[in-house]
Amino acid sequence: ARFPGRAFLMPASTPPVSPFWGPITANYDWCEGNYVVTEYVAEFFNTLSSVPTLTVGLYFALKSFKHGYGFRFALAGWMLAVVGLGSVAFHGTLTRLGQVLDELPMLYSSSIFLWISSSLRFNADKRGDERSKKLGYGLLVYCVLVTYAYLNGGFEVFFVAYALTVLAVAVTSLDAVASSPSKKITKPYVLWAFGIYVGGFLALWVPEQVFCGNRLHAHHHSPLQDLPLPLHAFFHVTSSIGPLSWLTFASFEGARRDERKPRIDWGRHALLWGARGPEVVPTRKKKNKSR
């Protein structure tokens, strides 16, 4: 590995003659300079900042297994971890395969969130379970169709589908919490989730698009390239905090619907990088084993 004098700044550096991961085949190159900190990672800080999404997903998946939140919630945790892993692959290599592994899991993850938030509005009985299963199959078909369009050059279709899915998650979540007897507890987590995620998008993701652009095509110098750390790296952090807040809301409401009298405990955990995080703890066993 090489550590040039300005390793912890972001110069618009020229990649090595023979980059470790080969030439850039992704169709987007971010503001961070390539192979600046080490010859083995294309965008070092964007890659490093993707790891919290991976570990937050693992944290929630393990808590789901421990407390028996149910299949949907465990799947949400594992898929969030896949999103983080895909982001590592994309920013670490800047290859087309890495980009696909980053972008497609975002659609599947948000669709699982939509499956959960919509299911919270169904009755907690067998009929509600059947409606939830049908919705799950429908969303899977939706994801497969968007995946087909995306892999055949329809990035715009993918982007619109992802944005609409996130919007649907927001609408169904707010609707679910509005009619919940626990809204004084869970509503703040919903608002934090979307406030942090959307705020990060507007304050961190958008400015890079406007002032830096795709470095495959934009060759002007941007002041954002002189920052010690790229804005996109901070966006990754907000993209891990927001989902954890949302999953806390959703798992609490799910446990409440199953009459498990949940509470929210806060504590430090290695997978949260030593930070304090929420944990939904049901105080009763689950009666209905189907959900």
Side-chain angles (χ1 to χ4, degrees):
R2 57 187 177 86
F3 293 87
R6 296 184 67 199
F8 291 95
L9 296 178
M10 296 193 309
S13 62
T14 301
V17 176
S18 300
F20 183 79
W21 297 102
I24 297 175
T25 54
N27 58 28
Y28 203 96
D29 186 9
W30 299 86
C31 198
E32 181 178 2
N34 300 333
Y35 297 99
V36 174
V37 175
T38 169
E39 63 185 287
Y40 302 113
V41 180
E43 296 175 346
F44 182 82
F45 293 111
N46 282 345
T47 302
L48 182 64
S49 61
S50 299
V51 178
T53 301
L54 167 62
T55 59
V56 164
L58 292 176
Y59 168 81
F60 185 80
L62 293 175
K63 294 302 179 184
S64 180
F65 176 78
K66 176 182 177 181
H67 298 299
Y69 298 155
F71 172 74
R72 293 188 298 261
F73 295 96
L75 187 62
W78 289 117
M79 187 53 67
L80 183 61
V82 171
V83 171
L85 189 61
S87 185
V88 168
F90 178 25
H91 293 288
T93 68
L94 288 180
T95 60
R96 176 58 181 165
L97 176 60
Q99 183 177 6
V100 171
L101 294 176
D102 172 50
E103 293 174 342
L104 280 182
M106 292 167 56
L107 174 68
Y108 284 80
S109 179
S110 61
S111 295
I112 294 170
F113 280 29
L114 179 58
W115 184 22
I116 293 173
S117 61
S118 298
S119 297
L120 290 176
R121 305 162 69 197
F122 299 154
N123 293 329
D125 52 26
K126 290 184 178 180
R127 184 169 180 271
D129 288 347
E130 288 301 317
R131 293 181 66 187
S132 178
K133 289 179 182 178
K134 290 179 181 179
L135 175 62
Y137 288 130
L139 287 171
L140 178 60
V141 171
Y142 163 75
C143 287
V144 170
L145 292 175
V146 176
T147 298
Y148 178 81
Y150 169 79
L151 294 177
N152 285 276
F155 175 80
E156 293 77 9
V157 174
F158 161 79
F159 186 84
V160 171
Y162 174 70
L164 290 176
T165 304
V166 172
L167 178 61
V169 173
V171 172
T172 52
S173 298
L174 291 172
D175 180 69
V177 79
S179 58
S180 170
S182 303
K183 62 182 175 182
K184 287 186 178 180
I185 298 174
T186 55
K187 187 175 182 179
Y189 286 93
V190 175
L191 298 180
W192 292 340
F194 292 108
I196 292 170
Y197 186 81
V198 175
F201 175 79
L202 295 176
L204 301 168
W205 192 90
V206 171
E208 272 212 1
Q209 308 302 306
V210 175
F211 299 109
C212 205
N214 185 348
R215 303 315 296 179
L216 294 176
H217 309 297
H219 303 294
H220 67 281
H221 176 77
S222 170
L224 296 183
Q225 293 174 283
D226 297 325
L227 295 175
L229 295 172
L231 293 184
H232 198 73
F234 292 102
F235 171 68
H236 284 162
V237 176
T238 62
S239 297
S240 61
I241 298 174
L244 178 59
S245 181
W246 187 89
L247 288 167
T248 302
F249 140 76
S251 56
F252 186 98
E253 289 293 348
R256 179 194 60 76
R257 289 175 72 254
D258 288 337
E259 300 179 353
R260 302 186 67 194
K261 290 191 175 296
R263 68 174 190 268
I264 299 176
D265 292 345
W266 281 73
R268 300 186 186 279
H269 198 283
L271 288 173
L272 300 180
W273 298 58
R276 285 169 50 82
E279 174 183 358
V280 174
V281 181
T283 59
R284 288 184 179 178
K285 291 185 178 181
K286 194 171 187 178
K287 294 181 181 180
N288 188 339
K289 301 295 184 182
S290 66
R291 287 197 304 276

